[in-house]
Amino acid sequence: MTGLELHWSVKDSLIAYISRLENGVVEALEPATRTESGFTFVLNEVASDFNAETHTGVLQFLGTAHFTGHWGMMNITIKDPRIELTSSHGVLSIAQGGILSPEAHVPFVNVNVVPGSHPLMLTTALTAEGRGVMGEQYTVGQELSPLTLN
């Protein structure tokens, strides 16, 4: 698994929208990086246990994608995504909390492996907790951008 990375734009239309705002900011916080197509998160090998052949296990990534706009009224943080897969289906959770409560991972999107994809691609659908992060304009089950592992 050495060198494995998560590439994800989260939601292409969100990046485009925030980029058009007068005070909109789309940024990556280390060790994640911002790319033309979104964000790249690096693998935490110590916290990961994944079988690439069966697409099962846990992949823990490090870094943050941060979106802000509307003078602070919009503030979305995707921190340290963790993918847990069983039989090519699972969930991507993100870290939340840490100021007044312990940091914990909450389910952000449900994921499904795209059969035969190489590099490995997963589709994403927003969870109820993810809707709370993204805002009321999104619906539970709404597709976000697919992600790639390579």
Side-chain angles (χ1 to χ4, degrees):
M1 287 192 309
T2 301
L4 185 67
E5 297 176 324
L6 165 62
H7 302 278
W8 193 27
S9 65
V10 182
K11 182 77 172 154
D12 294 328
S13 59
L14 175 65
I15 290 176
Y17 174 76
I18 292 177
S19 297
R20 290 190 305 268
L21 294 176
E22 179 181 342
N23 70 329
V25 175
V26 178
E27 63 184 342
L29 305 176
E30 290 187 358
T33 56
R34 174 96 192 272
T35 66
E36 276 187 35
S37 60
F39 303 92
T40 298
F41 299 88
V42 297
L43 182 69
N44 178 343
E45 292 183 43
V46 174
S48 299
D49 182 18
F50 187 73
N51 183 320
E53 290 182 21
T54 61
H55 301 141
T56 58
V58 176
L59 292 166
Q60 176 66 61
F61 295 91
L62 300 171
T64 301
H66 189 226
F67 308 85
T68 58
H70 299 292
W71 294 272
M73 297 298 289
M74 176 185 281
N75 187 355
I76 300 170
T77 301
I78 310 299
K79 181 179 179 187
D80 297 339
R82 178 173 60 209
I83 299 172
E84 297 178 55
L85 287 175
T86 305
S87 302
S88 300
H89 306 286
V91 66
L92 179 147
S93 58
I94 58 173
Q96 286 194 321
I99 295 173
L100 298 176
S101 62
E103 188 172 86
H105 272 80
V106 297
F108 184 66
V109 291
N110 292 314
V111 295
N112 289 297
V113 173
V114 175
S117 60
H118 187 76
L120 192 62
M121 182 180 287
L122 292 91
T123 60
T124 62
L126 203 59
T127 65
E129 294 88 346
R131 181 178 185 250
V133 172
M134 295 292 285
E136 292 182 10
Q137 67 274 23
Y138 292 90
T139 58
V140 173
Q142 182 172 351
E143 285 188 28
L144 299 187
S145 297
L147 59 89
T148 304
L149 301 170
N150 63 353

